[in-house]
Amino acid sequence: MKKPIILDDVLPEKIYEEMSRVMISEEGPNFPWWWHHGHTSNPDAEIKDSTSVDDKTRDNLMLCHLFYRPREEPAPFFGLVGQVIPEIEKKLEKKTIDVFRVKGNLTLPSTLPPDTYNIPHRDQEKGWVSILYYINDADGDTIFFDDNKEIYATVSPKANRAAIFDSNIYHCTMNNQTSDRRMVINYILRWW
C-alpha cells in the first residue's frame, strides 16, 4: 500500500492564522458546525461491509460543516478553506480537474477506550484523491489499513499539516481523548 504524502506548513502563516482564527475562535464570526451521526457518510452500508469493522471499531459522533459539493452553492467559508488546494497543487505540481466534496469535521473528547477507532471507510472510488488538512494540533491519529485490515500507516494531527492519499484506501480516526477538539478539512478531488 502506498503511504500518504505528508506536507507540513501547507498554508503561508498569515492565511493559516486567519483560517484557524475563524474556525477555532469563540469570538465572531461564529463558525457553524452541525451534528453528524458518525464518521462515515453512510454508516449502515459501512457496518454491513465486514471488511471495515472489527472489535476495535467504536464510531463516535462528530460535528461537520459542508463547504462544497458539486451543483450546490459553495458555503460562505469555502473561499477561506479553498486556499489549501492551490497551495498543495504548487507543492506537488498537480492541477485539480474536479472536486467531489470539501467538508470540515470536528470531534470532541471521547470517553471511548483509547485503543478504539471510528469506522474504517473509503472516501471515494479509485481515481479520486483525498486530502486531510489539520486545523489544530490534537490527539486522535488518522490510521490507514491495507487490504488485510492491518494498520500500515498513521498520521498525527498537526496544525497546518496535510495528508494526501488515494481516496479508495480504508482509513479512519482514533478518537481524541485529551484535545478539547480535533478539527480537519477533508477534500476529495481529481488531479491530472
Side-chain angles (χ1 to χ4, degrees):
M1 299 293 297
K2 190 171 155 185
K3 288 194 174 190
I5 297 167
I6 308 302
L7 297 176
D8 286 330
D9 303 318
V10 171
L11 291 175
E13 191 63 28
K14 185 176 180 182
I15 296 172
Y16 166 74
E17 286 175 3
E18 174 66 10
M19 182 186 295
S20 65
R21 184 191 63 76
V22 168
M23 294 181 73
I24 295 174
S25 177
E26 294 175 12
E27 300 170 7
N30 291 326
F31 188 83
W33 292 98
W34 290 275
W35 180 84
H36 196 265
H37 51 72
H39 282 72
T40 62
S41 297
N42 187 353
D44 293 335
E46 296 291 344
I47 288 169
K48 291 175 189 170
D49 179 359
S50 63
T51 65
S52 67
V53 176
D54 62 23
D55 61 343
K56 291 193 176 195
T57 305
R58 301 281 190 284
D59 205 25
N60 198 18
L61 70 88
M62 69 177 172
L63 303 174
C64 293
H65 183 99
L66 184 61
F67 293 101
Y68 176 83
R69 189 169 30 204
R71 296 177 295 283
E72 293 182 14
E73 189 70 30
F77 294 99
F78 178 69
L80 184 63
V81 302
Q83 297 176 84
V84 168
I85 296 171
E87 291 297 326
I88 291 176
E89 287 175 334
K90 282 190 284 188
K91 292 176 188 313
L92 298 181
E93 299 179 358
K94 300 286 187 181
K95 183 69 179 154
T96 301
I97 59 171
D98 196 6
V99 178
F100 177 76
R101 184 186 70 210
V102 178
K103 177 175 73 102
N105 299 328
L106 181 146
T107 56
L108 302 172
S110 173
T111 57
L112 294 169
D115 65 339
T116 61
Y117 43 78
N118 294 291
I119 297 173
H121 63 280
R122 296 174 175 171
D123 286 343
Q124 193 52 277
E125 297 304 316
K126 190 172 182 162
W128 292 88
V129 173
S130 291
I131 300 170
L132 298 178
Y133 177 77
Y134 301 98
I135 302 295
N136 64 318
D137 294 335
D139 62 320
D141 287 359
T142 304
I143 52 181
F144 297 86
F145 297 85
D146 64 19
D147 294 335
N148 297 317
K149 297 194 306 182
E150 298 294 326
I151 295 171
Y152 76 92
T154 61
V155 177
S156 296
K158 179 182 173 196
N160 205 13
R161 167 179 282 172
I164 300 117
F165 56 97
D166 293 335
S167 293
N168 67 335
I169 293 174
Y170 276 99
H171 64 284
C172 66
T173 62
M174 305 278 301
N175 291 301
N176 50 305
Q177 304 282 320
T178 60
S179 303
D180 66 344
R181 61 192 135 195
R182 178 187 185 277
M183 299 171 70
V184 63
I185 302 171
N186 177 225
Y187 303 80
I188 304 171
L189 47 87
R190 264 195 257 251
W191 283 332
W192 61 266

